[in-house]
């Protein structure tokens, strides 16, 4: 049986500022998806939030880009926006960039990560959701999980993943993609994905030698870029990703290990700063200090015939305390740089923030230096 696992997310209003999602918005989403499950559009669902992003985690059998699922998500976000307006929440409807729904939420503001696959006898799957960062924040952990033997012991000692994986990388400026084999083309892969604001990992596939179907992804990341849709900085591209685990894939613990660095990502405060990505529990997924620091949550499910078990809040664990403390030290250190790079993003990336408006004012005062 083929199951589709979809995460569709949007910031439809913050509480307060851009910190978190008001419980009333989650209630609306819950009600809307419950009705969709009753009418068999969905097999199952779970609602959560990471920072100011409302996250709809859904399973169904409609495949990716299904109109009924995308319109369900769109309508749910519109309804939640109405509530956000009623409550006076901050930036109500922020990520809904179009008035009329066109059949697919892609290019309309919300972020989408979805994949269709043949369920194994037992199917462990993790939904990763981030706030105050961008899709390229997934490059490092996804690379580590599927390509780095120092992270994933299975790449060395488990014959079923010893051959490695295939990475689909998108050039989000040129709108092109390329498939790269790891380990054979690992250096080419790193040459691209190290430039994380431009090249992003979209999907990972098993090799042809795997017992898993080579055309079914084992991981997918949302890659929507809001500034490209809106033409200017309107909010952030806080991404979500899905990763399947175990038997023929990296183990659950190898997935989580990919997030143990508190690596530097961009998108913090006004989408204009670099900071450490801190893995936290759902409870702690509210952005506070300097509107951050950027956060990631991980919900682990077993999927069975399209149905989800209750999720396990995987970073809600003292094993990640040291990563969090380290992220706090990095936060202190980065913050001391104030408006200086590399805390603030380089000029090329600032092009998509509100800085150009300030720079414009100085335009005519620049005189040629002989
Ligand atoms: C939102 C974000 C925040 C805002 C900042 C200013 O995701 O990253 O850091 O950019 O709070 O928000 P405005 O311009 O709405 O006052
Ligand atoms: Mg917001
Ligand atoms: Mg957000």
């Amino acid at each position: 049986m083929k199951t589709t696992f979809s995460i569709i997310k949007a910031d439809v209003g913050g509480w307060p500022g851009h910190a978190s999602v008001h419980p009333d918005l989650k209630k609306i989403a819950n009600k809307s998806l419950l009705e969709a499950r009753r009418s068999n559009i969905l097999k199952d669902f779970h609602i959560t939030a990471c920072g100011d992003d409302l996250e709809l985690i859904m399973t169904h059998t409609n495949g990716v880009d299904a109109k009924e699922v995308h319109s369900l998500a769109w309508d749910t976000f519109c309804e939640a926006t109405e509530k956000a307006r009623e409550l006076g929440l901050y930036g109500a409807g922020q990520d809904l960039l179009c008035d009329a729904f066109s059949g697919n939420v892609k290019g309309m503001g919300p972020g989408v990560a979805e994949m269709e696959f043949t369920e194994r006898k037992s199917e462990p799957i993790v939904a990763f959701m981030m706030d105050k960062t961008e899709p390229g924040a997934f490059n490092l952990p996804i690379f580590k999980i599927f390509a780095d033997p120092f992270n994933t012991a299975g790449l060395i000692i488990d014959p079923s993943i010893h051959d490695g994986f295939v990475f689909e990388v998108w050039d989000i400026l040129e709108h092109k993609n390329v498939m790269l084999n790891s380990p054979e083309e690992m250096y080419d892969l790193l040459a691209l994905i190290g430039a994380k604001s431009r090249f992003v990992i979209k999907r990972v596939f098993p090799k042809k030698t795997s017992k898993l179907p080579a055309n079914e992804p084992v991981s997918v990341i949302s890659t929507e870029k809001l500034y490209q849709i809106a033409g200017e900085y309107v909010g952030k591209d806080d991404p979500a990703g899905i990763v399947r685990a175990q038997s023929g894939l990296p183990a659950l613990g190898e997935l989580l290990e990919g997030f143990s660095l508190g690596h530097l990502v961009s998108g913090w405060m006004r989408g204009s700063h670099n900071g450490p990505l801190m893995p936290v529990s759902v409870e702690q997924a509210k952005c506070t200090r300097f509107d951050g620091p950027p956060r990631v949550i991980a919900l682990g499910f077993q999927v069975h015939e399209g149905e989800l078990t209750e999720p396990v809040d995987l970073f809600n664990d003292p094993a990640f305390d040291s990563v969090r403390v380290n992220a706090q030290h990095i936060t202190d250190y980065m913050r001391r740089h104030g408006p200086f790079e590399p805390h603030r993003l380089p000029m090329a990336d600032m092009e998509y923030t509100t800085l150009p408006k300030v720079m414009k004012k100085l335009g005519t005062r620049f005189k040629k230096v002989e």
Side-chain angles (χ1 to χ4, degrees):
M1 187 194 116
K2 281 208 184 189
T3 294
T4 315
F5 193 102
S6 305
I7 306 177
I8 306 188
K9 47 96 19 196
D11 174 352
V12 293
W15 174 61
H18 296 280
S20 73
V21 172
H22 192 280
D24 284 6
L25 306 192
K26 285 188 246 175
K27 270 188 218 151
I28 284 173
N30 211 64
K31 188 165 165 275
S32 159
L33 269 51
L34 199 60
E35 277 161 23
R37 190 171 65 185
R38 279 199 199 108
S39 52
N40 292 324
I41 295 170
L42 297 182
K43 277 274 192 177
D44 213 346
F45 69 91
H46 181 78
I47 306 289
T48 192
C50 184
D52 56 6
D53 296 310
L54 180 59
E55 314 269 353
L56 315 180
I57 302 170
M58 303 172 281
T59 51
H60 52 96
T61 52
N62 304 294
V64 300
D65 291 327
K67 189 172 178 194
E68 50 274 66
V69 176
H70 280 237
S71 69
L72 165 69
W74 183 259
D75 292 346
T76 304
F77 292 139
C78 289
E79 215 186 307
T81 297
E82 270 173 46
K83 186 71 184 175
R85 291 210 169 101
E86 192 186 308
L87 295 171
L89 299 180
Y90 193 71
Q94 181 188 287
D95 286 358
L96 306 188
L97 302 180
C98 305
D99 294 332
F101 179 68
S102 64
N104 193 306
V105 296
K106 277 189 202 154
M108 299 183 72
V112 185
E114 51 183 358
M115 61 182 178
E116 188 183 37
F117 53 88
T118 309
E119 270 190 29
R120 294 168 292 167
K121 205 162 64 197
S122 177
E123 189 64 58
I125 196 160
V126 182
F128 291 99
M129 292 150 283
M130 299 179 181
D131 191 39
K132 306 295 181 261
T133 185
E134 58 171 12
F138 270 103
N139 284 5
L140 184 144
I142 296 294
F143 172 81
K144 283 176 74 173
I145 293 164
F146 289 101
D148 178 5
F150 283 77
N151 181 88
T152 297
L155 293 168
I156 304 293
I157 63 180
D158 177 354
S160 71
I161 58 172
H162 193 76
D163 286 354
F165 292 90
V166 182
F167 288 74
E168 178 185 341
V169 177
W170 281 18
D171 175 342
I172 47 182
L173 284 190
E174 297 277 328
H175 300 277
K176 289 180 185 161
N177 70 351
V178 58
M179 305 295 275
L180 290 167
N181 291 307
S182 173
E184 307 89 300
E185 300 174 294
M186 183 189 284
Y187 298 159
D188 295 324
L189 174 63
L190 286 168
L192 296 182
I193 64 172
K196 61 185 174 36
S197 61
R198 172 153 180 190
F199 295 100
V200 296
I201 299 170
K202 178 66 192 175
R203 293 184 191 84
V204 181
F205 292 92
K207 286 267 177 77
K208 286 207 170 70
T209 47
S210 164
K211 63 181 182 193
L212 298 173
N215 60 348
E216 294 182 5
V218 292
S219 178
V220 64
I221 315 300
S222 70
T223 47
E224 283 69 27
K225 276 283 201 183
L226 287 185
Y227 71 77
Q228 289 195 331
I229 304 166
E232 61 169 354
Y233 182 74
V234 286
K236 284 249 309 319
D237 324 304
D238 309 313
I242 308 166
V243 191
R244 297 163 64 199
Q246 307 287 156
S247 34
L249 293 174
L252 183 83
E254 290 168 336
L255 267 51
L256 301 175
E257 185 66 11
F259 292 84
S260 58
L261 176 61
H263 65 293
L264 290 175
V265 299
S266 55
W268 189 8
M269 182 50 89
R270 299 175 186 275
S272 309
H273 293 80
N274 287 310
L277 184 71
M278 186 160 76
V280 293
S281 66
V282 173
E283 169 73 27
Q284 294 171 337
K286 38 184 180 285
C287 291
T288 54
R289 183 171 177 189
F290 201 54
D291 283 358
R295 287 167 203 237
V296 56
I297 57 171
L299 289 184
F301 300 89
Q302 287 291 141
V303 186
H304 185 59
E305 293 175 358
E307 289 186 13
L308 297 169
T309 57
E310 278 298 303
V312 175
D313 185 355
L314 293 162
F315 290 140
N316 184 13
D317 183 334
F320 281 90
D321 281 352
S322 63
V323 183
R324 290 187 272 268
V325 169
N326 197 28
Q328 287 155 31
H329 291 317
I330 300 167
T331 294
D332 286 336
Y333 174 76
M334 294 301 282
R335 279 303 304 126
R336 270 182 226 141
H337 292 77
F340 284 80
E341 298 176 10
H343 183 26
R344 200 180 73 180
L345 301 189
M347 272 324 246
D349 292 333
M350 294 299 285
E351 212 181 298
Y352 308 108
T353 70
T354 43
L355 184 73
K357 289 180 183 158
V358 177
M359 293 297 288
K360 212 173 151 198
K361 227 177 48 181
L362 289 175
T364 55
R365 291 177 54 192
F366 277 101
K367 303 283 178 255
K368 203 166 167 53
V369 180
E370 296 306 326

